């Protein structure tokens, strides 16, 4: 053993052969495993697709029978409505439905008590098909006026009476002692009858045999031990191989949710009308269950296939692939050993590395060798030489990259400084213009008022005073905004110790903006919260933000309306301000919250409003966002935290 290990350590061809064989076997095993897994998935999916196709066909056949019953009932409804007072006609119509439609088992037309004068127990015309159990004779149809019994509390009568719409009712046992009854379990399609004033007067109900549904559903089996089942509204079995479960048990009966979560999940999936497939353990064995709802009902049909039968084709691959894998690995090992020993020369790898260095490739390295032979020593010396060369090259490249990065940063800083200077100049010019305009107006009107030679009416004086008031408010608003900007930029937080009523602060913002500017747009407050709802924030700053947002909306909305909507969730209160103005172009939406930014340099304003609003809201722990999805104008959403649970309308 010692001699063999020594030979392997000193023999380049043997070690290289073993290394190559290990890599090839690893890749071969991974590739074969991946193909094996893919084959399993493909075979499984094909089997599921085939079973799903069978399930879809079965559902279509069942739906065909149900549509036939629905159509037969609806086609005769108009005649029933015309002859509700003719009992003989009602008997004839029930007989016609059953006689002309072989897939129906019975039909009844049942009227409300006292519908016919003197008939306090009501009236029910009933026709039922009696099976002759003969292949030569047709089934007979018997039509009678049903004996007196409490059919008003039957599910086929109560359900359409309560829903006041046509519907299928879950299968039931129609046996009533002393009356003509359907010998089979039936499902009924029921339509409420109404008089001309819309008053409920009765029900027409057509029956479909559950045995016929079962025969239709179980007519086709894609696998030997597969079977169908059908569940009702609350999970009761309508179709199942175990007939003792029919109408007596649900899919949840005797199922422990902690041990059989898959069965419970399947039950909820089917009773909620979903379509799909899942793996379920039934009777101790794994099954694939495909399920889908029946249209027009609250029922669901499922195809249950044993997993071993579904993947029979996949399992058969094991007997083919495993022998091939063993034989292939043996042949691969033998061939690899002979080829490496014959063709690989000990110095081939080092020669190739030297050629790479000659071509200027210094990055790709040989790993250090743990060998004790001459080749190992030569490889380690070579690796050390290449490492030194590569390090020098990397240092030079890094210095070059750092120089380029610093040059780029200097260029960007220069550009930003230039932009800042331009913005500053533009802001000073714009601010001078915005202040000069209201000052000129106030100054001019003041001279007019001082001139004793000018005669003015009281309305003219009042109009001049209102204009001067608005312009001085505008001046005060601009100066206040500048002061707020200088204060807010240096602050890290804003006190939120005020308990502020959401509706109160919104109304005050509406009053502020009405006194601040003249406008033609309609203003609406749409609150979805109670007046008692309060939030912990800063009343002064929140009022400034809401006033600024309303002022912006009114400024750009010449016609239409400006709406503030207040809504609350479990965590936040949203103040949404939307207008019907021109909106903001999509390419400008990312810049509107920057300082001194104006979409139109010829409009009034300092370009600080939205910047200050977002900054203030952020310092108060909230967010201010622009909604680009809103296309009717502009929409801004201010969200502030609601720290305590409150009740909303």
């Amino acid at each position: 053993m010692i001699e063999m290990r020594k030979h392997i350590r000193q023999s380049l061809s043997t070690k290289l052969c073993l290394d190559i064989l290990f890599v090839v076997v690893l890749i071969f095993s991974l590739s074969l495993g991946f193909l094996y897994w893919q084959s399993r998935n493909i075979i499984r999916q094909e089997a599921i697709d085939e079973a799903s196709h069978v399930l879809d066909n079965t559902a279509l056949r069942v739906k065909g029978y149900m549509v036939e019953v629905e159509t037969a009932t609806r086609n005769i409804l108009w005649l029933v409505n015309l002859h509700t007072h003719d009992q003989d006609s009602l008997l004839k119509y029930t007989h016609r439905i059953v006689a002309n439609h072989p897939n129906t088992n019975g039909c009844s037309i049942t009227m409300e008590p006292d519908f016919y004068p003197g008939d306090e127990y009501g009236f029910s015309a009933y026709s039922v098909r009696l099976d002759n159990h003969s292949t030569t004779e047709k089934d007979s149809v018997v039509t009678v006026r049903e004996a007196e019994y409490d059919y008003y509390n039957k599910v086929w009568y109560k359900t359409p009476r309560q829903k006041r719409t046509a519907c299928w009712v879950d299968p039931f046992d129609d046996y009533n002692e002393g009356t003509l009854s359907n010998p089979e379990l039936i499902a009924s399609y029921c339509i409420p009858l109404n008089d001309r004033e819309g008053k409920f007067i009765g029900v027409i109900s057509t029956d479909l045999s559950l045995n016929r549904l079962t025969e239709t559903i179980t007519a086709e089996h894609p696998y030997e031990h597969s079977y169908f089942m059908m569940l009702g509204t609350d999970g009761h079995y309508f179709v199942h191989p175990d007939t003792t479960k029919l109408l007596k048990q649900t899919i949840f009966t005797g199922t422990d949710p902690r041990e059989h979560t898959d069965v419970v999940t399947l039950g909820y999936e089917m009773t909620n009308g979903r379509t799909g497939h899942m793996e379920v353990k039934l009777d101790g064995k794994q099954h694939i269950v495909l399920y889908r709802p029946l249209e027009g009902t609250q029922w669901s049909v499922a195809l249950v296939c044993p997993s071993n039968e579904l993947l029979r084709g996949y399992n058969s691959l094991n007997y083919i692939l495993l022998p091939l894998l063993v034989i292939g690995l043996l042949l691969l090992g033998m061939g690899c050993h002979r080829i490496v020993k014959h063709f690989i020369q000990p110095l081939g790898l080092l020669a190739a590395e030297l050629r790479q260095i000659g071509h200027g490739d210094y990055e790709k390295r040989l790993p250090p060798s743990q060998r004790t032979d001459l080749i190992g020593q030569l490889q380690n010396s070579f690796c050390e030489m290449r490492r030194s060369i590569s390090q020098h090259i990397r240092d030079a490249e890094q210095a070059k990259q750092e120089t380029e990065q610093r040059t780029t940063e200097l260029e960007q800083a220069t550009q930003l400084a230039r932009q800042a200077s331009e913005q500053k100049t533009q802001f000073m010019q714009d601010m001078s213009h915005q202040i000069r305009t209201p000052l000129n107006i106030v100054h001019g009107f003041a001279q007019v008022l001082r001139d004793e030679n000018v005669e003015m009416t009281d309305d003219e004086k009042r109009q001049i005073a209102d204009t001067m008031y608005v312009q001085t408010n505008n001046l005060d608003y601009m100066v206040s905004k500048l002061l707020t900007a200088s204060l807010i930029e240096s602050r890290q937080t804003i006190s939120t110790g005020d308990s502020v009523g959401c509706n109160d602060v919104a109304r005050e913002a509406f009053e502020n903006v009405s006194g601040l500017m003249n406008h033609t747009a309609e203003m609406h407050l749409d609150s979805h919260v109670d007046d008692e709802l309060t939030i912990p924030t800063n009343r002064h700053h929140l009022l400034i933000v809401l006033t600024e947002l309303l002022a912006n909306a009114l400024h750009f909305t010449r016609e239409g309306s400006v709406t503030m909507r207040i809504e609350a969730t479990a965590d936040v209160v949203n103040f949404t301000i939307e207008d019907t103005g021109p909106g903001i172009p999509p390419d400008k939406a990312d810049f509107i919250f920057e300082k001194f930014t104006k979409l139109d340099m010829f409009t009034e304003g300092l370009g600080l409003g939205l910047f200050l609003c977002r900054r203030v809201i952020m310092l108060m722990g909230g967010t201010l966002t622009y909604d680009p999805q809103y296309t009717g104008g502009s929409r801004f959403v201010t969200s502030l935290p609601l720290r305590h649970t409150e009740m909303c309308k």
Side-chain angles (χ1 to χ4, degrees), residues 124-182:
S124 178
Y126 181 57
S127 295
V128 64
R129 185 186 307 279
L130 299 180
D131 191 353
N132 290 322
H133 303 286
S134 172
T135 58
T136 59
E137 296 182 4
K138 295 183 178 180
D139 299 339
S140 60
V141 178
V142 178
T143 302
V144 297
R145 171 177 176 170
E146 289 193 274
E148 296 175 358
Y149 74 98
D150 189 17
Y151 50 75
Y152 302 106
N153 289 318
K154 295 295 183 180
V155 64
W156 54 268
Y157 192 90
K158 289 196 305 182
T159 302
R161 185 180 188 182
Q162 293 171 353
K163 293 185 176 181
R164 293 302 177 92
T165 185
C167 60
W168 281 93
V169 298
D170 290 350
F172 58 92
D173 185 354
D174 193 44
Y175 175 76
N176 296 284
E177 186 175 357
T179 66
L180 179 64
S181 301
N182 199 314

Side-chain angles (χ1 to χ4, degrees), residues 151-430:
Y151 50 75
Y152 302 106
N153 289 318
K154 295 295 183 180
V155 64
W156 54 268
Y157 192 90
K158 289 196 305 182
T159 302
R161 185 180 188 182
Q162 293 171 353
K163 293 185 176 181
R164 293 302 177 92
T165 185
C167 60
W168 281 93
V169 298
D170 290 350
F172 58 92
D173 185 354
D174 193 44
Y175 175 76
N176 296 284
E177 186 175 357
T179 66
L180 179 64
S181 301
N182 199 314
E184 301 176 355
L185 296 177
I186 57 175
S188 295
Y189 178 71
C190 308
I191 302 178
L193 300 175
N194 302 302
D195 60 14
R196 294 181 179 179
E197 288 75 26
K199 180 182 178 183
F200 175 85
I201 60 174
V203 170
I204 178 172
S205 172
T206 306
D207 305 327
L208 178 63
S209 170
L210 190 60
N211 288 341
R212 182 173 292 276
L213 279 178
T214 303
E215 292 173 0
T216 302
I217 291 175
T218 59
E220 184 178 358
H221 292 276
Y223 303 99
E224 181 179 357
H225 296 96
S226 62
Y227 62 89
F228 286 90
M229 66 179 181
M230 187 169 74
L231 303 183
T233 306
D234 55 357
H236 275 90
Y237 289 106
F238 295 162
V239 175
H240 195 276
D242 186 357
T243 57
T244 60
K245 296 182 178 181
L246 299 182
L247 300 183
K248 299 178 182 178
Q249 297 184 20
T250 70
I251 192 172
F252 306 107
T253 301
T255 302
D256 188 347
R258 293 172 296 182
E259 296 181 1
H260 305 285
T261 55
D262 51 352
V263 178
V264 174
T265 302
L266 174 64
Y268 281 118
E269 286 284 305
M270 294 181 66
T271 55
N272 287 323
R274 296 190 177 95
T275 300
H277 67 272
M278 60 184 299
E279 291 192 13
V280 180
K281 191 172 184 179
L282 300 173
D283 299 327
K285 297 180 180 179
Q286 287 296 124
H287 293 75
I288 303 293
V289 181
L290 300 93
Y291 51 91
R292 58 162 297 163
L294 291 174
E295 296 181 7
T297 70
Q298 294 181 321
W299 308 338
S300 182
V301 62
L303 174 58
V304 182
C305 304
S307 296
N308 58 348
E309 292 186 14
L310 196 70
L311 300 176
R312 183 176 297 168
Y314 162 75
N315 294 331
S316 64
L317 290 176
N318 297 334
Y319 304 101
I320 300 174
L321 292 178
L322 291 178
L324 288 178
L325 177 62
V326 174
I327 295 173
L329 291 177
L330 291 175
L331 294 176
L332 183 62
M334 295 172 59
C336 180
H337 182 267
R338 294 178 62 88
I339 292 172
V340 169
K341 185 177 179 179
H342 184 267
F343 289 102
I344 296 300
Q345 299 297 324
L347 298 178
L349 185 59
L350 290 178
E353 293 295 322
L354 288 173
R355 285 194 296 270
Q356 290 179 357
I357 292 178
H359 292 126
D361 183 5
Y362 299 96
E363 292 299 322
K364 187 175 181 181
R365 302 178 184 176
L366 277 176
S369 176
Q370 301 298 326
R371 301 171 182 172
T372 58
D373 57 8
L374 181 62
I375 298 299
Q377 298 174 12
L378 181 61
Q379 181 174 337
N380 289 334
S381 299
F382 178 83
C383 289
E384 187 62 31
M385 179 189 68
R386 168 167 278 189
R387 187 182 302 109
S388 299
I389 296 174
S390 298
Q391 185 62 42
H392 287 301
I393 293 175
R394 282 196 300 272
D395 292 341
E397 289 292 333
Q398 184 176 0
K400 179 181 177 182
Q401 291 176 1
E402 291 177 353
T403 302
E404 292 176 351
Q405 183 177 358
R406 290 175 182 174
T407 302
T408 302
E409 291 174 352
L410 287 174
E411 292 176 353
Q412 292 176 350
T414 303
Q415 181 67 21
L416 291 175
R418 188 182 300 112
Q419 291 177 356
S421 178
E422 293 174 355
Q423 279 188 332
K424 177 181 178 182
T425 302
Q426 189 174 15
F427 171 73
M428 295 299 296
Q429 294 174 349
D430 187 52

Side-chain angles (χ1 to χ4, degrees), residues 635-648:
R635 175 187 287 162
F636 291 86
V637 181
T638 301
S639 300
L640 290 171
L642 180 63
R643 297 180 182 173
H644 306 290
T645 304
E646 302 288 345
M647 293 297 295
C648 299

